Amino acid sequence: MHGMMMKEPLSIIEILRYAAAAHPGAGIVSVRTEGDIHRETYAEAYARAGQLAHGLARLGVGRGDRVATLAWNGYRHFELYYAISGMGAVCHTINPRLSAEQMLYIIGHAQDRVLCFDVTFTPILEGLAEHLPKDLILVAMTDRAQMPDSPLDLLCYEDLLEGQPEEYDWPSLDEESAAALCYTSGTTGHPKGALFSHRSTVLHAMTVAICLSKSLSEGARVLPVVPLFHVNAWGLPYAAPLAGASLVMPGAKLDGASLFDLMEAEHVTSAWGVPTVWLGLRGEIDKRGRNPEGFAQVVVGGSAAPRSMIEGFEDSGVEVCHAWGMTEMSPVGTHGLLSAEMKVLPREEQMALKSKQGRRLFGVELKIVDEAGNRLPHDGRASGELYVRGNTVVSGYFSNPEASEKAIDAEGWFGTGDVASIDPQGFLTIQDRTKDLIKSGGEWISSIDLENIAMAHPKVASCAVIAVPHPKWDERPLLVVVPAGEAPELAELHEMMLEHVAKWQLPDAMVCVEELPLTATGKVSKLTLRRQFADYALPDAV
Amino acid sequence: MHGMMMKEPLSIIEILRYAAAAHPGAGIVSVRTEGDIHRETYAEAYARAGQLAHGLARLGVGRGDRVATLAWNGYRHFELYYAISGMGAVCHTINPRLSAEQMLYIIGHAQDRVLCFDVTFTPILEGLAEHLPKDLILVAMTDRAQMPDSPLDLLCYEDLLEGQPEEYDWPSLDEESAAALCYTSGTTGHPKGALFSHRSTVLHAMTVAICLSKSLSEGARVLPVVPLFHVNAWGLPYAAPLAGASLVMPGAKLDGASLFDLMEAEHVTSAWGVPTVWLGLRGEIDKRGRNPEGFAQVVVGGSAAPRSMIEGFEDSGVEVCHAWGMTEMSPVGTHGLLSAEMKVLPREEQMALKSKQGRRLFGVELKIVDEAGNRLPHDGRASGELYVRGNTVVSGYFSNPEASEKAIDAEGWFGTGDVASIDPQGFLTIQDRTKDLIKSGGEWISSIDLENIAMAHPKVASCAVIAVPHPKWDERPLLVVVPAGEAPELAELHEMMLEHVAKWQLPDAMVCVEELPLTATGKVSKLTLRRQFADYALPDAV
Ligand SMILES: Nc1ncnc2c1ncn2[C@@H]1O[C@H](COP(=O)(O)O)[C@@H](O)[C@H]1O
């Protein structure tokens, strides 16, 4: 028997429409690529999203079309999120840190019709220009006066909005319609696209707003250092307006000093980002001997937050929330806020809990399994591959049946590629990774891709690329080579790699060995290698 | 194009399962009908809900079956909410204030299979006994030792749970499945059932938790004086555990002194109920010259909160949230919390805003229309019938096609029967009512029902029942009679009425007039009458 209740589709644009009315004083502060600070309320953003939707419609953007963005965190990027999804198209955020090859691949795979980019990325596009689809419309996210001097055929973002009505007749969409697309690195091969729906996005925003209500409340001022071009800035562009928190968008300057100044000037209460970014900020805090005023909470995720960092913040009165998630989870899966009872535990125990990766959000299910797929107990000891389930988890990858097939287990759960234990209180501890990837400053590097390139070099007999701990980037790639006679130079391998991967993805160092350790089944044992080189001192790791 | 996200049905039992793990210290404190205070955590409640589901299954309760409750606010009632909905049955809350006739009607209309009741209501059931369906199973919500001495054939609630496993294999249900049923008075005729779904209930809980996050956060202690047997205690049994707030359940004693003592002993931070209840508490606060310790917020709704009450609370440091809603809205529609900007307005302006009925919750749409159904502006002046739309609004009434048909307008909105204006900031002001009902202490009285009975008396030529303001009950019924010769006695009319309505629904007074004012179309003008008797001093209105 069904209930007798209305069914209105959950819809992304409703979040902004609500925020515009419910939180009249809240909005977005942006450090612009133009150099100045820009402010707009959610009501203004909603009106401009309406104009933008009209502008995009005039370019021919229709339901289901992909519109790409290549941009820093700023108000125009925020407007694009809402206008594109609101009109029924799909907002495809591109990570500017991808290699040219990867970028071209995803633009082609997504079949983007329009690409909107921050002018700082003009050189990237000029570099790609001859390989870009001929009918791809390029929109520079700036005004007429600041349009870059470029041989490319560019439209101007502000021109698109100019003169358009602020009211847009947002269509009523099936709540399962695609709304946003974000590619994530696979262990090997091409990036894979997570295709979010209106339903998944709205439910994610709601659950984040509930579980992290302390950071996301009316009057809060939240700094997403985590990029809008990667993992949806952890859902903040949706959860913050819903909850009435303002967003402080840092633009391109993410060094410690710039962040400190921005946080202080804008009275940021909660800042969200990967450990690498907070290292820089902590350095600046140490230098000035104080926190930015009003700074009360930091949300750290994307890589394990080192305990020393957690203690550094906590000791100075900044609450640390250690979170875990992944693109395929919209992305937040767990949060590390302590319950009232835990907050009265001795400091050591609290820090131990905060060093773990937190507890599940409402609506997210976690299970760990052994190699045969049997469930393991949540006893804090058993460790196995982590699987997840819920409305905010992908059911596969966009236009990629093969990867989709592999992603989901027989019970319908998504395999995260993380190895974890879960304690009786529900705290997750990420122990290891089954996926052969290295996470540097919050971004992925594929070991296997690098290995495949290196193997093609005549002086390389066999090789492996492994993650080595790095104080700043969390992990960096180390290339372990068995030479075929004379040892190769790292420089010559770099040269070959640069044709396929981005510069920051190159191995930091190379070591030559006589043979690689093997597993029982004769594969290279990355586990043994990682242990062997756990203390390896990378050249720039100070 | 659809997104590629998992679709897990939104499910009520997931709220309690989540709370049990996420908020280990939070739970339910209940003043028991047995007289003592009972405490259980959400984890304990979840385990007992599992046992209860087993017990109900053994009684033969299956998917879609209706299980009724007739109970005060307490932990067993809370457990029934979750066990019944969780197993796929429908939790039908019965208002003990209904007349015998109405109660029998709704038990029959709902086709209840089981009825669970607090032992204080044993006399009510004994009174109804001979008219109750023969196969209705009666469960006394107590333990074996406290079973009432009654000629009725009664099962014992604790016996049902005894020995049952705590794990129950909660079925995966379509999220639109019916989960709860609550009857509400119509203008005339029988009560009508609002049939809530899992989806509507979970979305309501989430949106209440977000919009009222200040009151519903981890560590908060919330007192629902608003009954679980009416309007789902404003959704608190769902929103509080989701957000990690504890519930303090007052049982049957709702006088000012009892509430004060309970609030103080249990450190209640936020208390929710109708104005009538807060009058009693305010009296007690005045007597003792202070607030219960820890009392920080009061949520008032169900009837208009008088400005003097709002000011009384606010002046003593208790924040007032004036909310509006109705059974058919799950029930919360608006909340009266001020945004940051409004909180710095002069006190007078703040109090004026708080006297209004608040702004819409996320997901709730409001419109006001004129008699022809045209939309009126939200300018704070235009006033018209209020219509609502959203996932938490009914699309009709249970097994009542006629009432369902009338409830929804051509655009698919639900007509509230309230007349309101909406100001440019979104604040609702309830001006009047198109429905011919009187709201006394949060409960409805049908004018038309009383009129129909009175009209049957030979000494009544014509008559009208109208709401007259009452300092305690907000409104009470006044009977205005045009006698057919000799005037009737109120007592003889009361006698006739008592056969159909509850005692508290009887008119407080009667006045005789020579004729009733008529509208242009020749109907009795209740509006004119209400104005005429606005200052009428009811006998017990001190
Ligand atoms: N804050 C309020 N001010 C005035 N009337 C209210 C308020 N809240 C609820 N009501 C009335 O109560 C009705 C809902 O009653 P119920 O379904 O019993 O909750 C609404 O349609 C209004 O007429």
Side-chain angles (χ1 to χ4, degrees), chain B residues 203-512:
Chain B
L203 289 177
H204 184 265
M206 293 180 87
T207 196
V208 166
I210 291 168
C211 297
L212 289 157
S213 65
K214 263 202 69 174
S215 8
L216 294 171
S217 58
E218 225 243 336
R221 299 177 67 78
V222 185
L223 175 82
V225 181
V226 48
L228 272 78
F229 59 67
H230 183 190
V231 298
N232 303 324
W234 297 350
L236 278 174
Y238 309 112
L242 175 61
S246 289
L247 287 168
V248 179
M249 302 283 211
K253 289 200 203 126
L254 304 176
D255 60 288
S258 302
L259 286 180
F260 191 109
D261 289 340
L262 179 65
M263 289 172 73
E264 176 132 307
E266 294 300 333
H267 207 89
V268 165
T269 53
S270 180
W272 300 37
V274 295
T276 302
V277 162
W278 304 134
L279 263 193
L281 180 68
R282 283 229 56 79
E284 192 64 22
I285 289 173
D286 288 343
K287 207 161 93 192
R288 305 205 199 179
R290 64 182 184 86
N291 284 324
E293 220 177 295
F295 183 28
Q297 196 204 43
V298 62
V299 179
V300 196
S303 288
R307 179 144 176 181
S308 60
M309 173 183 289
I310 295 175
E311 292 181 342
F313 277 122
E314 290 270 339
D315 288 348
S316 74
V318 175
E319 178 182 40
V320 175
C321 171
H322 187 185
W324 165 89
M326 58 196 307
T327 304
E328 289 91 334
M329 296 181 76
S330 300
V332 188
T334 62
H335 73 84
L337 295 179
L338 302 189
S339 69
E341 302 68 46
M342 297 169 190
K343 283 191 185 142
V344 294
L345 292 174
R347 178 177 175 286
E348 275 305 293
E349 287 177 43
Q350 288 191 42
M351 293 307 131
L353 286 177
K354 295 206 166 210
S355 302
K356 300 188 174 196
Q357 271 81 3
R359 295 179 294 159
R360 72 184 183 96
L361 259 62
F362 175 63
V364 173
E365 304 280 341
L366 310 175
K367 73 171 181 184
I368 45 175
V369 300
D370 66 16
E371 268 152 37
N374 303 311
R375 289 203 191 202
L376 294 169
H378 294 193
D379 60 6
R381 283 186 306 272
S383 147
E385 189 172 351
L386 178 61
Y387 282 78
V388 294
R389 201 178 65 177
N391 279 300
T392 56
V393 179
V394 298
S395 60
Y397 293 99
F398 175 54
S399 205
N400 194 339
E402 199 191 332
S404 299
E405 166 92 42
K406 277 192 217 150
I408 310 292
D409 77 3
E411 286 184 358
W413 296 60
F414 173 81
T416 64
D418 286 325
V419 176
S421 63
I422 302 174
D423 74 17
Q425 294 178 291
F427 278 86
L428 191 70
T429 303
I430 303 291
Q431 313 272 9
D432 200 358
R433 210 177 273 151
T434 62
K435 48 197 175 197
D436 214 344
L437 289 166
I438 294 149
K439 198 157 198 188
S440 165
E443 303 285 350
W444 293 113
I445 300 170
S446 162
S447 315
I448 299 176
D449 282 355
L450 295 175
E451 288 161 7
N452 287 342
I453 304 167
M455 289 289 274
H457 194 282
K459 292 184 191 162
V460 175
S462 72
C463 74
V465 174
I466 56 164
V468 171
H470 187 283
K472 177 165 180 195
W473 302 110
D474 205 56
E475 296 176 7
R476 288 294 305 162
L478 173 71
L479 174 62
V480 184
V481 168
V482 180
E486 187 200 351
E489 293 290 323
L490 182 56
E492 48 183 332
L493 294 174
H494 275 178
E495 214 169 291
M496 287 177 65
M497 290 170 179
L498 265 181
E499 282 167 39
H500 306 282
V501 304
K503 190 147 176 266
W504 62 272
Q505 295 176 321
L506 298 176
D508 288 27
M510 180 183 83
V511 285
C512 291

Side-chain angles (χ1 to χ4, degrees), chain A residues 202-350:
Chain A
V202 173
L203 289 177
H204 184 264
M206 292 180 88
T207 195
V208 167
I210 291 167
C211 297
L212 290 157
S213 65
K214 262 201 70 174
S215 7
L216 294 171
S217 59
E218 226 243 337
R221 298 177 68 80
V222 185
L223 176 81
V225 181
V226 49
L228 272 76
F229 59 69
H230 184 190
V231 298
N232 303 325
W234 297 351
L236 278 175
Y238 308 112
L242 176 61
S246 289
L247 287 168
V248 179
M249 302 285 210
K253 288 200 206 126
L254 304 177
D255 61 287
S258 301
L259 286 180
F260 191 109
D261 290 340
L262 179 65
M263 290 172 73
E264 176 132 308
E266 294 300 333
H267 207 88
V268 165
T269 52
S270 180
W272 299 39
V274 296
T276 303
V277 161
W278 305 133
L279 264 193
L281 180 69
R282 284 231 51 81
E284 192 65 22
I285 290 173
D286 288 344
K287 208 161 92 194
R288 306 205 198 181
R290 63 182 183 86
N291 284 322
E293 219 178 296
F295 183 29
Q297 197 205 40
V298 63
V299 179
V300 196
S303 288
R307 177 141 175 182
S308 61
M309 174 183 290
I310 295 174
E311 292 181 343
F313 277 122
E314 290 268 341
D315 288 348
S316 74
V318 175
E319 179 183 40
V320 175
C321 171
H322 188 183
W324 166 88
M326 56 195 309
T327 304
E328 290 92 333
M329 297 180 77
S330 303
V332 188
T334 63
H335 74 86
L337 295 179
L338 302 187
S339 69
E341 302 69 46
M342 298 168 189
K343 283 192 185 140
V344 295
L345 293 174
R347 178 178 175 285
E348 275 307 291
E349 288 176 46
Q350 288 191 41

Side-chain angles (χ1 to χ4, degrees), chain B residues 42-322:
Chain B
Y42 288 133
E44 288 161 345
Y46 178 63
R48 280 173 52 87
Q51 295 183 302
L52 177 55
H54 282 292
L56 290 172
R58 285 184 62 170
L59 297 184
V61 172
R63 298 269 179 103
D65 284 350
R66 269 77 68 198
V67 177
T69 65
L70 184 67
W72 299 110
N73 290 5
Y75 65 105
R76 292 190 184 109
H77 204 173
F78 178 93
E79 292 160 4
L80 282 161
Y81 262 56
Y82 281 95
I84 297 169
S85 301
M87 65 193 294
V90 178
C91 178
H92 169 209
T93 50
I94 302 180
N95 189 335
R97 295 186 184 129
L98 294 179
S99 68
E101 182 177 311
Q102 289 172 320
M103 221 180 266
L104 286 172
Y105 168 78
I106 67 170
I107 291 171
H109 186 265
Q111 297 180 285
D112 294 323
R113 295 201 49 182
V114 178
L115 190 159
C116 304
F117 66 99
D118 267 338
V119 292
T120 40
F121 297 126
T122 314
I124 293 188
L125 286 179
E126 288 173 356
L128 300 181
E130 55 173 316
H131 307 290
L132 286 176
K134 291 293 151 273
D135 52 355
L136 179 69
I137 301 173
L138 298 177
V139 178
M141 291 162 63
T142 189
D143 56 25
R144 175 85 1 235
Q146 321 267 342
M147 282 293 284
D149 186 17
S150 167
L152 296 173
D153 192 8
L154 300 181
L155 297 183
C156 167
Y157 183 94
E158 293 299 334
D159 285 358
L160 272 190
L161 275 72
E162 179 86 34
Q164 297 293 345
E166 294 181 348
E167 303 283 319
Y168 187 88
D169 191 11
W170 304 108
S172 170
L173 304 163
D174 180 333
E175 69 183 27
E176 292 185 66
S177 305
L181 176 61
C182 182
Y183 284 80
T184 181
S185 302
T187 307
T188 175
H190 293 306
K192 298 171 287 182
L195 188 64
F196 310 105
S197 67
H198 283 265
R199 175 180 165 99
S200 69
T201 306
V202 173
L203 289 177
H204 184 265
M206 293 180 87
T207 196
V208 166
I210 291 168
C211 297
L212 289 157
S213 65
K214 263 202 69 174
S215 8
L216 294 171
S217 58
E218 225 243 336
R221 299 177 67 78
V222 185
L223 175 82
V225 181
V226 48
L228 272 78
F229 59 67
H230 183 190
V231 298
N232 303 324
W234 297 350
L236 278 174
Y238 309 112
L242 175 61
S246 289
L247 287 168
V248 179
M249 302 283 211
K253 289 200 203 126
L254 304 176
D255 60 288
S258 302
L259 286 180
F260 191 109
D261 289 340
L262 179 65
M263 289 172 73
E264 176 132 307
E266 294 300 333
H267 207 89
V268 165
T269 53
S270 180
W272 300 37
V274 295
T276 302
V277 162
W278 304 134
L279 263 193
L281 180 68
R282 283 229 56 79
E284 192 64 22
I285 289 173
D286 288 343
K287 207 161 93 192
R288 305 205 199 179
R290 64 182 184 86
N291 284 324
E293 220 177 295
F295 183 28
Q297 196 204 43
V298 62
V299 179
V300 196
S303 288
R307 179 144 176 181
S308 60
M309 173 183 289
I310 295 175
E311 292 181 342
F313 277 122
E314 290 270 339
D315 288 348
S316 74
V318 175
E319 178 182 40
V320 175
C321 171
H322 187 185

Side-chain angles (χ1 to χ4, degrees), chain A residues 185-206:
Chain A
S185 301
T187 308
T188 175
H190 293 304
K192 297 171 287 183
L195 189 64
F196 309 106
S197 67
H198 283 266
R199 175 180 166 101
S200 69
T201 306
V202 173
L203 289 177
H204 184 264
M206 292 180 88

Side-chain angles (χ1 to χ4, degrees), chain A residues 64 66 90 92 105-112 178 180-184 190-196 394-407, chain B residues 1-5:
Chain A
R66 271 74 70 199
V90 178
H92 168 210
Y105 168 77
I106 67 171
I107 290 170
H109 186 265
Q111 298 180 282
D112 294 323
L181 176 62
C182 183
Y183 284 80
T184 181
H190 293 304
K192 297 171 287 183
L195 189 64
F196 309 106
V394 297
S395 60
Y397 293 100
F398 175 53
S399 203
N400 193 340
E402 200 191 330
S404 299
E405 167 91 43
K406 277 191 219 150
Chain B
M1 182 169 67
H2 271 198
M4 292 185 70
M5 305 302 292

